[in-house]
Amino acid sequence: MAGKFARSWALMKASAGVLRSDKSLLLFPLLSGLCSIVVAASFLVPVMLALVGHHGGDLDGRRFAPGYYVMLFAFYLAQYFVIVFFNTALAGVALQRLRGEPAGLADGFALARSRLGSIFGYALIAATVGLFLRALQERLGLIGRFVVSLLGLAWTVATFLVVPVLASEGIGPVDAVKRSAELLKRTWGENLIGNAGLGAVFGLVFVLAALLAAVLVFGAVATQSIAVIAPVLVLVVIAFILLGLAQSTLQGTYAAALYRYAEAGEVGGGFDQALLESAFRPKR
């Protein structure tokens, strides 16, 4: 466990090197999050109406009106499109920087716009898979839900490199999914631990940040002064937002580096190639 943590920490530091070279990369997940909130807000009312409309739904029996699934699919499609669009822009910039080429926000957005058709196609595939898994989960018992979670994990692993594939190769969405699965299986096998390790590192960081935030908020509340409480609350919120943006950006950069290594056998951008080889252990 200590070795996995050390490897994940080293990967995070390597990824942070790309982020340090251009902190504006944080804007990609920030804009993605803001657009996702707008999409969620725009779908909230119609989804609720479809759920409790005169065709109704049975929350206990998990039987919903067809309109509910139509709206849910549309919501998934819009959300996936937004997320994949901004992630493709981020991956494009990260790949250029890993190659030692200058790149910025404008370059990332220009690349994502040139891939709109493939991005929409993949969002359509992801939304279909997401709705299918959701429908199964709503109809199955505890064991069935566990199986569905495994299917979801398998899908996540298989599509781990879809975004950098879309950014780099400009192929269609179906071919991008196949390419992603091919690169992962051919190079590292099936035991994906690197991304989970990064998640564990940030999980620890978030826990420590939450403890520190609790101390600060408790101290501010103890003063019973709005002039102290308000700035502390704002500071805590901003800190957690920045942590979330950093995690998203680092994970996107990490995926781009993995793709570059799988596709070209090299990394660049300060990444340790031996470290990346150990991030995924081939199945024996």
Side-chain angles (χ1 to χ4, degrees):
M1 182 61 68
K4 292 181 181 180
F5 183 84
R7 181 164 58 248
S8 298
W9 179 252
L11 280 167
M12 189 183 74
K13 289 193 297 182
S15 301
V18 177
L19 178 57
R20 281 196 301 270
S21 69
D22 186 1
K23 296 180 179 59
S24 66
L25 295 179
L26 293 170
L27 289 176
F28 287 122
L30 175 61
L31 293 173
S32 177
L34 292 175
C35 291
S36 295
I37 291 173
V38 171
V39 170
S42 65
F43 274 88
L44 180 61
V45 172
V47 164
M48 292 304 297
L49 289 176
L51 179 63
V52 299
H54 89 272
H55 288 293
D58 182 355
L59 291 177
D60 295 326
R62 299 294 183 185
R63 295 188 300 273
F64 298 104
Y68 166 77
Y69 288 107
V70 171
M71 292 303 302
L72 190 60
F73 177 79
F75 170 70
Y76 280 169
L77 178 60
Q79 283 283 54
Y80 277 120
F81 179 82
V82 166
I83 293 170
V84 176
F85 176 86
F86 286 102
N87 284 350
T88 301
L90 171 60
V93 175
L95 286 169
Q96 285 185 263
R97 289 191 171 274
L98 289 168
R99 291 192 294 263
E101 303 170 1
L105 294 177
D107 300 293
F109 286 125
L111 174 67
R113 287 195 299 270
S114 71
R115 305 283 197 264
L116 280 179
S118 295
I119 290 172
F120 179 81
Y122 177 64
L124 191 63
I125 294 173
T128 302
V129 172
L131 184 65
F132 173 73
L133 293 178
R134 175 66 178 268
L136 282 180
Q137 193 173 39
E138 289 172 348
R139 285 167 169 75
L140 299 176
L142 182 61
I143 296 179
R145 292 175 189 175
F146 176 73
V147 173
V148 169
S149 67
L150 291 180
L151 291 175
L153 178 61
W155 171 254
T156 300
V157 171
T159 59
F160 186 67
L161 295 179
V162 164
V163 167
V165 167
L166 289 175
S168 179
E169 301 184 18
I171 58 180
V174 175
D175 290 333
V177 173
K178 293 178 180 178
R179 179 71 168 148
S180 173
E182 172 195 340
L183 290 173
L184 282 172
K185 183 177 180 180
R186 186 183 70 194
T187 310
W188 297 289
E190 300 175 359
N191 290 327
L192 179 62
I193 63 172
N195 202 37
L198 282 174
V201 169
F202 268 98
L204 177 60
V205 172
F206 271 101
V207 169
L208 295 176
L211 292 175
L212 178 59
V215 172
L216 291 175
V217 172
F218 180 79
V221 171
T223 67
Q224 297 183 346
S225 171
I226 297 298
V228 176
I229 296 173
V232 168
L233 291 177
V234 171
L235 179 63
V236 168
V237 171
I238 291 176
F240 276 100
I241 289 175
L242 288 176
L243 277 176
L245 294 178
Q247 181 180 10
S248 296
T249 306
L250 291 175
Q251 286 178 331
T253 305
Y254 175 64
L258 290 176
Y259 165 77
R260 180 166 166 75
Y261 174 76
E263 192 271 337
E266 57 186 16
V267 182
F271 278 82
D272 185 338
Q273 185 161 315
L275 179 65
L276 283 172
E277 288 175 345
S278 68
F280 292 86
R281 299 191 180 279
K283 183 178 179 181
R284 291 182 173 87

